Amino acid sequence: MFSIPRLTRISSRRIFLLKGRVPVKNIPSALQQIHVPAYNISPRTFSTETVKKQDEPPAGEATKHEFQAETKMLLDIVAKSLYSEKEVFIRELISNASDALEKFRYAHLSENSSLEETDRPLEIKIETDKQGRILTIQDSGIGMTKDELISNLGVIARSGSKQFLQQLKDKEGSGDNNIIGQFGVGFYSAFMVADKVEVYSRASGSPGYKWSSDGSGTYEIQPVEGVNLGTKIVLYLKTECREFSDEETVKNVIKKYSNFIGSPIVLNGEKANTVEPLWLQNPKDVPIEKHQEFYRYISGSYDLPRFVLHYKADVPLSIRALLYFPEGKPGLFEMSRETETGLALYTRKVLIKSKTNNILPKWLRFVKGVVDSEDIPLNLSRELLQNSALIRKLQTVLTGRVIKYLQEQQSKKPEEYEKFFSDYGIFIKEGIITNHDQLEKEEAAKLLLFESSQLADGKKCSLNDYITRTKEEKTIFYLAAPSRALAEASPYYESLKKKQQEVLFCFEPYDELVLMQLQQFRGYKLISVEKDMRDDKEASDLTNLGEDSLKRSEINELSDWIKGKLSGKATNVNATTRLENHPCVVTVEEMAAARHFIRTQSHQLSDDRRYAILQPRLEINPRHTIIKKLYKLTKENPKLAELLVKQLFINSMVGAGLVEDPRVLLVSMNDLLEQVLEKH
């Protein structure tokens, strides 16, 4: 089955072993393409014969050996502590078997090869015996001699695969390879589930041997007859691990971890690995029907992929990725930030993690698919990604490629992209709000879409589109409103509309919070029209108001009077030239944050405390009929004037979206109407 034990292959260039690192160059790139050896054996060809029964009679005396390197302690660590799930022993032994088959192919292709039976099917056979609690795994690979059995199975953490790679490197130079194992401890995972393990192995030109151990610190090697070329492992399972002698259990483990191994895996006479690793194929050769089938397989869902990103890169990291963007709308479970990402992580077609959280950022958790990279640093059990700069780099590369791909769809298929953004835009906005890195926020912001004052109703544009049209230097304006009609009628928009300044409309509740958090994009400041009004120093210049306006002294007098009547509510009262059709507006320092506060927290506070936090400022229009009439009423009917100014203030608060329940208008409005009707 294998010529050496192994745990995992980390990288053909980088091998991480605990805290140490040993560089190993690539194997010849030509070998990466070799899946069908010269003797015309197809990887899809497999025999239906079952594993050979135990009829290998002894051919000599058995010799007893002791494990090296504090093996008893190491065996305990491997069997009890290294792996979180017992089922991974099947993954480890199948990966060993795959390595043995690859080594046989390489050996056969080498010069002066004298291997026996080169026309035999290259496959992995697995047989279950539920009655006897026995699991048998057999390969037709390179096999082992007696010395190799002692060297490879007698010393834990000595990887024959790593040694094999080194030999190839010395002989051939650098390139790619299909060898998985590197650490040399994967074989010992068998002792997690087995009381006793027997290994029958024969290399070409060598007699067969039986290696056996109960994991207690010693093992025996005995010459035996009738051993097939290759390796067979027989596991006598512990009582509490009897489920691994059940065919259905083993089939499910194969499907989970080893479905994409290059060689056939035959379980009790039937091929068990039937799904192709599409991510390793040429994108042009994969029809959409195969993508649809594969998407359903890896996602466990019944919808179809909306977009397909088939990605390959060799620098700065070796990456083979197949990413799908779902067609269906996200469910409540997917919306939760506790949901894991839908990416499965593979290394050389062997599953490492079915849900990987740090390969893409959390906000891209709706993306489903497969990432296969030989450069990923793993811990010894191949179950956890080590925290390293490589993981960060991999995430950066993949995230950048996803964003670039979605931008391409935005340009090539605008209608389809708008539908996608309508369904999944909330995730992109989450990525901006939760990210602390400005560059990463701006990358995600490339995918945002908004309606614009310069475009027809319903038509959307990106921030990049806005920049190509903007007349205002280095500024992007935006306005939040429940609908386009209310946005275009907003008092905050009046002056910018008159100047034909483009403004983005934010109709979703959190759009303005996203833009406030983003702050800038490609050097352009993002400013809400309310904040622009509040900070506009020129708007407070009242020297050229005209004859239809209150005089400067009247404005000052009215402002002081209003401030007194709105004590505890409005922190200040200013006159502004920014208004034309509206008598007044309310501004606060950060309108987006204020509206978010009103939606989420203000109900817990008293009115006085709420106004103290918001600190609203009332901006009045001294040219408006109502404001001019208000000034007269302060002299003629102070009681009515007070009701009127309070009504104007609460109206402005509602218009600004700073009132949790607009029904509060009714009480003050009724009081005002009652006072007005007293004269009639």
Side-chain angles (χ1 to χ4, degrees), residues 171-342:
K171 183 178 180 181
E172 305 287 351
S174 62
D176 294 327
N177 67 86
N178 290 321
I179 302 298
I180 301 168
Q182 291 286 359
F183 285 131
V185 298
F187 164 73
Y188 303 99
S189 63
F191 289 102
M192 289 192 299
V193 297
D195 287 321
K196 182 181 179 182
V197 177
E198 294 177 346
V199 179
Y200 297 84
S201 189
R202 182 166 78 89
S204 184
S206 172
Y209 290 91
K210 171 186 173 184
W211 181 101
S212 61
S213 176
D214 60 3
S216 62
T218 63
Y219 63 92
E220 289 186 351
I221 293 183
Q222 185 176 21
V224 290
E225 296 179 350
V227 179
N228 287 339
L229 287 170
T231 301
K232 178 178 72 174
I233 293 185
V234 182
L235 293 89
Y236 298 90
L237 299 170
K238 300 174 182 178
T239 304
E240 65 271 21
C241 299
R242 59 163 58 90
E243 70 267 24
F244 297 113
S245 61
D246 176 72
E247 179 178 345
E248 197 62 30
T249 299
V250 175
K251 183 186 295 184
N252 290 335
V253 175
I254 294 172
K255 181 180 179 182
K256 180 177 180 181
Y257 292 102
S258 307
N259 217 359
F260 304 109
I261 290 290
S263 300
I265 301 175
V266 184
L267 175 61
N268 292 339
E270 293 187 7
K271 194 165 186 284
N273 56 331
T274 56
V275 182
E276 299 177 79
L278 295 188
W279 67 88
L280 298 180
Q281 298 182 14
N282 188 327
K284 297 179 180 179
D285 297 336
V286 184
I288 188 61
E289 292 78 16
K290 280 195 173 183
H291 279 304
Q292 291 172 351
E293 181 182 349
F294 188 75
Y295 167 76
R296 287 170 176 160
Y297 168 77
I298 57 101
S299 68
S301 59
Y302 295 97
D303 63 336
L304 299 173
R306 189 192 307 250
F307 300 129
V308 178
L309 172 55
H310 200 155
Y311 175 57
K312 172 184 177 182
D314 294 308
V315 290
L317 295 171
S318 171
I319 302 172
R320 303 293 183 270
L322 186 52
L323 308 180
Y324 296 106
F325 301 81
E327 185 177 64
K329 294 183 178 181
L332 290 176
F333 178 73
E334 291 174 290
M335 297 292 287
S336 170
R337 279 187 55 78
E338 300 304 315
T339 304
E340 295 179 307
T341 59

Side-chain angles (χ1 to χ4, degrees), residues 639-650:
K639 184 177 180 182
L640 179 58
E642 184 175 348
L643 288 173
L644 178 58
V645 77
K646 288 181 177 179
Q647 188 64 50
L648 287 172
F649 177 74
I650 194 65

Side-chain angles (χ1 to χ4, degrees), residues 37 76 125 161 381 389 411 428 434 456 465 561 613 617 655 669 678:
D76 286 341
K125 292 181 179 179
S161 285
S381 65
S411 175
I428 298 168
T434 59
D465 295 333
W561 183 87
I613 293 174
R617 188 169 79 190
M669 188 178 293
E678 278 185 358

Side-chain angles (χ1 to χ4, degrees), residues 426-440:
I426 187 67
F427 292 93
I428 298 168
K429 296 168 190 177
E430 175 195 309
I432 296 171
I433 290 177
T434 59
N435 208 315
H436 299 294
D437 186 284
Q438 181 63 28
L439 290 177
E440 292 179 12

Side-chain angles (χ1 to χ4, degrees), residues 372-433:
D372 193 326
S373 175
E374 64 179 50
D375 291 334
I376 298 174
L378 308 173
N379 71 343
L380 194 60
S381 65
R382 292 205 308 174
E383 295 176 337
L384 298 173
L385 303 181
Q386 292 183 353
N387 186 14
S388 78
L390 281 176
I391 296 300
R392 179 67 175 171
K393 183 181 290 185
L394 178 63
Q395 184 183 103
T396 300
V397 171
L398 279 179
T399 303
R401 188 64 188 90
V402 167
I403 291 173
K404 181 181 178 182
Y405 174 79
L406 289 175
Q407 279 189 284
E408 292 169 356
Q409 302 312 304
Q410 187 182 132
S411 175
K412 297 175 183 176
K413 304 175 182 177
E415 291 185 3
E416 288 187 38
Y417 180 80
E418 279 196 31
K419 292 178 182 177
F420 160 78
F421 185 79
S422 176
D423 293 337
Y424 288 90
I426 187 67
F427 292 93
I428 298 168
K429 296 168 190 177
E430 175 195 309
I432 296 171
I433 290 177

Side-chain angles (χ1 to χ4, degrees), residues 123-137:
E123 60 192 4
I124 302 167
K125 292 181 179 179
I126 301 177
E127 187 170 285
T128 59
D129 179 359
K130 197 169 184 178
Q131 187 76 20
R133 294 206 318 270
I134 297 173
L135 177 65
T136 306
I137 302 177

